[in-house]
């Protein structure tokens, strides 16, 4: 019991067991801190704990692939009272897109903030990142987009070969990419001729969604020289395509025996020295025989026949005296030959057809028939054949065969028959001069033989006739 004398009077105030908060001594302050005036103790305050995790930067962005996201991903941790929570561990984890972070683990600062630098993957597309603290989590997403144009790559049309003056078969194309190899759509690519003197169409092309830009066409120069084409786009080094321009004279179109093939003489075709254009057709003849070749057109045609190596063996201006079409009949061994479809006048152009067929071997009615060496044919001299005269002006019948000989080229011709007295003559076209003749090759036979070496290149007429007037009958002609 504490007794206090409050007044200097006789009356005393007795206070029993009633604590008076106002009269506590300083030494009892610690006890008073846990005791209220009613005598009950207060509950201790709960410790702060991380209860929320929120993003303090944008959670969805679009950015160039391979670059750092700006602003950098940032989160704040708060306690149960909404106050920033310092010292909390936060983990940043790349979930998709192949990017990286500079700090996978971070600790919140005094403001409850934790951050990291997030670099997106180099491939265009979605990226995602998570930030976690204990059971708390926040997600960030970013779309990686293509960066500035940095690279052109050849996609198609390089290192081609085409006839001079013609378009390459595959239009050159490039792929446009950024520095990370992502394709770029909507980029203007300009194609221009480098060397060779050709031309292009569609010179300015726009890249597709696949990043591909394609020139309209590339026509090579008219000379058989190397050609180049250059593709350029802003921000990227240029790329160069190359092509070999070959002589149009080396181009061969396949023609099948017994068929008709169409063509067109154009200004980029092969040209003969006289300036006339020509197209070449390769044809395979399956067996020794007589063959007929024709060219028809609205212009005045000129058809020639060559060996596979281009050596001319026959040519024709007109099939008849009144029509512009051409025809060649020739006795030929099996093999591959070339037909040259051309025009009589220089620089003529237009559509035409060539045709071929096997035909009769008979040289009847004084036909124009071409031959080559290594041909053997059985013929018949008739009164309807070519007509010659011998003194005293009696008819001599015979057949004509034309052969082209080069200077220094030798030929042996044999004519044998059991029906007629054979006679051979060889006549040069130049001046219609007889350069060789033979009646009997020796005293034991009436067969004829000529061996001749040409001094100049020319067409020569082989005259196979009789030595006796008005004779007719079969004979065999062999040319070696």
């Amino acid at each position: 019991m504490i007794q206090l004398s409050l007044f200097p009077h006789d009356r005393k105030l007795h206070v029993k067991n009633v604590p008076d908060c106002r009269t506590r001594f300083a030494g009892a302050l610690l006890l008073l801190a846990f005791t209220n005036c009613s005598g009950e103790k207060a509950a201790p305050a709960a410790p702060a704990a991380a209860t929320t995790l929120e993003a303090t930067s944008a959670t969805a962005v679009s950015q160039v692939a391979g670059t750092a996201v700006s602003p950098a991903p940032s989160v704040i941790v708060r306690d149960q009272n909404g106050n920033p929570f310092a010292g909390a561990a936060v983990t940043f984890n790349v979930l998709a897109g192949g990017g990286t972070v500079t700090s996978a683990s971070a600790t919140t600062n005094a403001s409850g903030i934790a951050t990291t630098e997030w670099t997106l993957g180099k491939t265009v597309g979605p990226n995602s990142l998570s930030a976690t603290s204990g059971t708390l989590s926040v997600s960030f997403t970013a779309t990686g987009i293509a960066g500035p144009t940095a690279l052109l790559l050849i996609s198609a049309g390089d290192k081609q070969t085409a006839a001079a003056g013609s378009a390459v078969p595959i239009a050159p194309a490039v792929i446009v990419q950024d520095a990370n190899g992502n394709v770029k759509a909507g980029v203007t690519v300009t194609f221009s001729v480098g060397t060779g003197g050709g031309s292009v169409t569609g010179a300015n092309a726009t890249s597709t969604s696949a990043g591909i830009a394609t020139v309209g066409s590339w026509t090579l120069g008219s000379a058989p020289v190397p050609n180049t084409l250059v593709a350029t786009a802003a921000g990227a080094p240029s790329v160069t395509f190359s092509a070999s321009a070959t002589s149009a004279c080396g181009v061969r179109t396949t023609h099948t025996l017994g068929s008709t093939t169409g063509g067109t003489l154009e200004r980029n075709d092969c040209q003969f020295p006289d300036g006339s254009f020509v197209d070449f057709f390769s044809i395979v003849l399956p067996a020794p025989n007589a063959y007929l070749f024709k060219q028809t057109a609205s212009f005045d045609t000129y058809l020639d026949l060559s060996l596979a190596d281009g050596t001319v063996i026959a040519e024709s201006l007109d099939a008849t005296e009144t029509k512009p079409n051409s025809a060649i009949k020739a006795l030929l061994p099996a093999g591959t030959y070339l037909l040259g479809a051309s025009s009589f006048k220089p620089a003529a152009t237009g559509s035409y057809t060539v045709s071929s067929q096997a035909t009769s071997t008979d040289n009847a009615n004084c036909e124009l028939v071409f031959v080559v060496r290594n041909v053997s044919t059985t013929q018949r001299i008739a009164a309807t054949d070519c007509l010659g005269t011998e003194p005293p002006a009696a008819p001599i019948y015979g057949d004509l065969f034309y052969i082209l000989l080069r200077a220094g080229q030798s030929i042996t011709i044999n004519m044998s028959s059991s029906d007629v007295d054979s006679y051979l003559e060889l006549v040069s076209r130049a001046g219609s001069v007889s350069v060789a003749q033979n009646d009997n090759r020796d005293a034991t036979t009436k067969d004829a033989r000529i061996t001749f070496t040409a001094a100049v290149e020319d067409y020569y007429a082989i005259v196979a006739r009789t030595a006796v007037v008005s004779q007719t009958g079969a004979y065999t002609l062999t040319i070696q």
Side-chain angles (χ1 to χ4, degrees):
M1 180 182 69
I2 300 174
Q3 290 185 338
L4 295 177
S5 177
L6 299 178
F7 303 99
H9 302 289
D10 293 337
R11 185 180 177 182
K12 292 182 180 179
L13 176 64
H14 300 279
V15 181
K16 296 181 179 181
N17 300 322
V18 179
D20 187 342
C21 293
R22 294 172 299 174
T23 60
R24 293 292 183 188
F25 293 104
L29 290 180
L30 182 61
L31 177 62
L32 288 176
F34 295 96
T35 306
N36 58 25
C37 293
S38 62
E40 298 178 353
K41 290 184 179 181
T51 57
T52 62
L53 178 67
E54 299 174 351
T56 57
S57 62
T59 57
V61 297
S62 181
Q63 189 147 333
V64 172
T67 63
V69 172
S70 180
S74 176
V75 294
I76 185 170
V77 179
R78 298 181 187 276
D79 64 14
Q80 66 272 32
N81 297 316
N83 299 313
F85 189 90
V90 177
T91 299
F92 294 96
N93 184 36
V94 175
L95 301 178
T100 59
V101 290
T102 55
S103 299
S105 298
T107 302
T108 57
N109 59 20
S111 299
I113 302 294
T115 188
T116 190
E117 185 176 285
W118 179 25
T119 299
L120 302 184
K122 294 183 178 182
T123 302
V124 166
N127 289 250
S128 61
L129 175 75
S130 67
T132 59
S133 181
T135 60
L136 305 176
S137 179
V138 173
S139 295
F140 297 86
T141 61
T143 301
I145 60 175
T149 300
L151 190 65
L152 296 180
L153 297 176
I154 291 177
S155 172
D158 191 25
K159 294 181 174 60
Q160 298 187 76
T161 299
S166 65
V168 294
I170 301 173
V174 296
I175 298 177
V176 185
Q177 295 182 344
D178 67 5
N180 293 318
N182 298 300
V183 299
K184 292 273 295 177
V187 176
T188 298
V189 178
T190 300
F191 294 88
S192 58
V193 172
T195 60
S199 61
V200 296
T201 63
N204 295 319
T206 302
S207 60
T208 65
S209 59
I212 296 177
T214 307
V215 71
S217 66
W218 179 22
T219 298
L220 304 184
S222 58
V225 297
N227 283 241
T228 58
L229 181 71
V230 181
T232 59
S238 63
V239 295
T240 301
F241 297 82
S242 64
S244 298
T246 61
S247 170
C249 298
V251 178
R252 306 286 189 262
T253 301
T254 300
H255 172 78
T256 303
L257 177 65
S259 69
T260 298
T261 304
T264 304
L265 291 183
E266 301 175 306
R267 296 195 176 276
N268 60 352
D269 285 342
C270 176
Q271 280 185 287
F272 285 137
D274 68 350
S276 59
F277 301 112
V278 59
D279 293 334
F280 290 107
F281 296 84
S282 177
I283 181 172
V284 176
L285 304 180
N289 204 347
Y291 296 94
L292 181 63
F293 309 97
K294 293 182 179 180
Q295 180 188 2
T296 62
S298 59
F299 55 84
D300 201 0
T301 62
Y302 199 97
L303 183 66
D304 69 41
L305 177 67
S306 304
L307 299 176
D309 63 2
T311 302
V312 177
I313 55 178
E315 49 195 301
S316 171
L317 171 59
D318 296 320
T320 67
E321 293 297 329
T322 59
K323 294 183 178 179
N325 301 327
S326 302
I328 293 174
K329 180 178 179 178
L331 298 172
L332 301 168
T336 300
Y337 296 83
L338 294 178
L339 286 173
S342 184
S343 65
F344 177 68
K345 294 182 179 180
T349 58
S351 300
Y352 63 85
T353 62
V354 291
S355 61
S356 62
Q357 65 184 74
T359 190
S360 171
T361 59
D362 186 21
N363 186 351
N365 301 314
C366 202
E367 283 187 286
L368 179 61
V369 178
F370 291 90
V371 292
V372 294
R373 292 186 300 177
N374 302 316
V375 162
S376 180
T377 179
T378 298
Q379 299 288 332
R380 184 174 184 83
I381 293 178
T384 56
D385 285 344
C386 299
L387 180 62
T389 58
E390 284 282 328
I396 296 290
Y397 305 119
D399 295 325
L400 296 179
F401 301 89
Y402 293 87
I403 187 168
L404 180 59
L405 298 177
R406 270 75 187 174
Q409 193 171 27
S410 297
I411 187 174
T412 297
I413 310 166
N414 287 286
M415 178 181 179
S416 60
S417 174
S418 59
D419 294 342
V420 300
D421 187 355
S422 301
Y423 192 99
L424 282 173
E425 188 175 3
L426 192 63
V427 179
S428 171
R429 181 183 61 170
S432 297
V433 177
S434 177
V435 295
Q437 56 275 323
N438 181 254
D439 182 3
N440 300 320
R441 68 188 185 198
D442 56 45
T444 65
T445 179
K446 292 186 177 181
D447 295 339
R449 174 183 292 169
I450 288 177
T451 297
F452 174 76
T453 299
V456 296
E457 180 176 318
D458 196 6
Y459 280 101
Y460 294 81
I462 300 171
V463 182
R465 66 178 182 86
T466 64
V468 179
V469 298
S470 302
Q471 269 191 332
T472 59
Y475 68 93
T476 297
L477 184 70
T478 302
I479 305 167
Q480 297 173 324

